[in-house]
Amino acid sequence: MNILSAAATILLSLSHPDGIYQVGDTVKVYASLGDKTELVHSEVACEGPENRIFDYEDTQIGWVVAPQDYVQGVPCPKDFKRWWGKQLKAMRREKMEPVLREMSGVSDPDVICYELEINCIGDNPVRGYVAIPRAEREGGYPLVMYFHAAGVAGRWCRCWPEETVSMAKWGNGAICVNINAFGMENGREQEYYDALEQGLYKDYSKRASESREDYFFKNMYLRAVRALDFACTLPQWDGKRVLAYGQSQGGAQAFALAGLDKRVSAVVGIVPGGCNSAGSARKAGFDSWPYTYKSFVNSQQGQKILSYFDGCNFLANTRAKLFVEIGLMDQTCRPSAIFSALNANRASRTGGCCGEGGSGLYGPEVTVLTSPWRYHDEPKPRYWDHWRDTIYTARMQWINDYLQ
């Protein structure tokens, strides 16, 4: 039966609402139009791990088979912790001198916001904003460390005081530290950011290097730790809870911070980047953002350097609670790469992947929500309401429960 019409808005769905299957399962795809639904595809999942995208008329849907079997492409270097320990020690040798300036133009009765700058190793300082609840609370407040998606000039990759204040109201109140990835100045004219994007930071994510010490993301991750060092000096902190939050490149920073600093107790990674990056180099051309492996002289050089910045290795070195959102049609931060990192995590190995239907893949400290309709960005308009009502709502509930 053909349920299509020229102006139809077709909605696809799966027999497993979360899009997670095991080898031997039957994958069924349904198309709905109004109150009519029909089966448009059926197949037995014969191989795994595998990520599939199915096209039907003008829409798509994705699923994954045996995601618990994805593994990172290159093992963690034996000196991973020792090398990063040296980088952190070198950074901390430079006395931290934070500068805070109250944002008089941001008026909120419950939260006070400051512009933040902290000296750091390398050419750039930490820059962003910090928002702190005005009310004193016995026991203090949790910390939220907020990191941004990739880019330089776009609104999404810059810090905004209003956004920082809003996040400081999560849970029953939190301290929010919101930093940009580069140490760019805050609140400048658009031309300033456009010039950086076309000049100093042009194609930054694709830059190769001759050594791990010179790799672009090293100082980016060190600035994240520097920001946490500062935040933990605030007397309003409860001394226990640190939630690292980020999407895409911001997810990579959140994973890195969790792997480098045991003070991070919870992580929210939304379509996180930087996972299995060394494995991408081994495959020489196919996997997940930032795709730097294409720029190295050869895959051996790429593997050697990228393995120190691989999200798989950061997640393997944290005991933080995890909330991870994965788009099953994401071709930027691919499901295969993110599942590889999850499978390297200690808590994940204890056996509850919680997609919409719940799949029981990981332990209670790991929550994974999978969206069959999500590419790298949020789902297309026809699926957006469903995503908001399920995955986005569940994410915010998880965050607020943790921060209560």
Side-chain angles (χ1 to χ4, degrees):
M1 175 179 66
N2 186 355
I3 64 173
L4 300 180
S5 67
T9 299
I10 300 168
L11 300 176
L12 297 182
S13 59
L14 294 165
S15 49
H16 289 190
D18 59 6
I20 295 177
Y21 294 87
Q22 297 300 323
V23 173
D25 289 346
T26 299
V27 181
K28 295 181 179 181
V29 183
Y30 301 93
S32 299
L33 178 63
D35 59 356
K36 296 181 180 179
T37 299
E38 69 174 16
L39 179 68
V40 294
H41 180 75
S42 179
E43 66 175 71
V44 175
C46 298
E47 296 181 358
E50 182 181 38
N51 181 209
R52 293 280 302 280
I53 297 176
F54 176 76
D55 293 273
Y56 184 78
E57 297 297 332
D58 66 341
T59 188
Q60 296 178 304
I61 198 165
W63 64 85
V64 64
V65 179
Q68 73 279 0
D69 293 337
Y70 281 115
V71 296
Q72 66 186 108
V74 175
C76 182
K78 293 181 179 179
D79 67 340
F80 179 83
K81 290 183 181 180
R82 184 169 64 253
W83 183 78
W84 272 110
K86 290 180 179 178
Q87 311 314 306
L88 294 170
K89 186 175 181 180
M91 179 191 72
R92 288 171 173 148
R93 276 199 294 265
E94 182 177 339
K95 182 182 177 182
M96 184 167 58
E97 297 177 344
V99 177
L100 293 129
R101 181 177 65 86
E102 184 175 345
M103 299 297 294
S104 57
V106 180
S107 177
D108 189 279
D110 302 315
V111 176
I112 186 168
C113 184
Y114 301 91
E115 185 174 17
L116 173 67
E117 181 173 324
I118 313 168
N119 59 308
C120 192
I121 197 168
D123 296 330
N124 294 337
V126 176
R127 286 194 176 111
Y129 297 96
V130 56
I132 304 172
R134 294 180 186 272
E136 292 186 12
R137 181 199 286 177
E138 184 177 355
Y141 293 93
L143 282 173
V144 175
M145 306 295 298
Y146 177 40
F147 305 104
H148 293 262
V152 180
R155 181 178 177 84
W156 67 89
C157 50
R158 288 145 57 187
C159 300
W160 301 91
E162 299 81 3
E163 179 181 50
T164 315
V165 167
S166 177
M167 295 177 75
K169 297 183 179 183
W170 284 358
N172 285 327
I175 301 164
C176 179
V177 177
N178 176 0
I179 66 170
N180 70 64
F182 312 101
M184 300 183 297
E185 295 180 31
N186 298 311
R188 290 288 302 272
E189 67 282 0
Q190 183 63 42
E191 290 76 14
Y192 166 79
Y193 301 103
D194 291 339
L196 288 176
E197 185 169 73
Q198 296 304 316
L200 184 61
Y201 299 130
K202 183 177 177 62
D203 295 329
Y204 71 90
S205 67
K206 300 177 183 179
R207 294 179 188 173
S209 62
E210 294 186 1
S211 74
R212 55 195 175 178
E213 286 77 15
D214 296 331
Y215 185 53
F216 187 87
F217 284 82
K218 186 197 79 170
N219 285 347
M220 184 189 296
Y221 293 166
L222 289 176
R223 284 191 291 272
V225 178
R226 188 70 148 182
L228 179 58
D229 283 349
F230 157 76
C232 290
T233 69
L234 295 172
Q236 297 90 343
W237 179 42
D238 67 12
K240 297 179 293 185
R241 289 174 292 171
V242 175
L243 187 153
Y245 177 101
Q247 176 169 314
S248 191
Q249 175 184 273
Q253 291 171 270
F255 282 8
L257 183 60
L260 293 174
D261 200 308
K262 290 182 171 58
R263 291 175 294 188
V264 176
S265 55
V267 178
V268 174
I270 305 161
V271 292
C275 298
N276 204 28
S277 52
S280 299
R282 182 178 60 81
K283 296 174 184 176
F286 187 78
D287 207 355
S288 203
W289 187 91
Y291 310 120
T292 314
Y293 57 84
K294 295 179 180 179
S295 303
F296 285 105
V297 173
N298 54 58
S299 61
Q300 289 73 31
Q301 184 196 48
Q303 289 176 55
K304 183 176 180 180
I305 293 172
L306 288 175
S307 59
Y308 291 88
F309 303 90
D310 194 325
C312 295
N313 298 329
F314 290 126
L315 276 201
N317 283 284
T318 182
R319 295 187 180 276
K321 292 170 63 73
L322 301 178
F323 180 102
V324 180
E325 181 181 341
I326 301 173
L328 295 184
M329 295 194 294
D330 193 340
Q331 299 297 288
T332 302
C333 298
R334 296 175 180 266
S336 57
I338 301 170
F339 276 113
S340 295
L342 285 166
N343 295 336
N345 177 258
R346 292 186 184 96
S348 299
R349 300 183 203 133
T350 64
C353 179
C354 303
E356 285 185 62
S359 302
L361 294 180
Y362 301 125
E365 297 299 296
V366 180
T367 299
V368 181
L369 293 189
T370 48
S371 174
W373 307 283
R374 179 164 187 160
Y375 301 90
H376 190 57
D377 295 327
E378 294 172 2
K380 301 294 184 183
R382 69 180 71 182
Y383 300 111
W384 192 88
D385 286 348
H386 184 273
W387 170 83
R388 177 200 60 201
D389 294 342
T390 54
I391 292 177
Y392 175 78
T393 299
R395 180 209 305 169
M396 294 311 302
Q397 186 64 55
W398 190 95
I399 290 170
N400 286 320
D401 286 348
Y402 183 75
L403 296 175
Q404 292 289 345

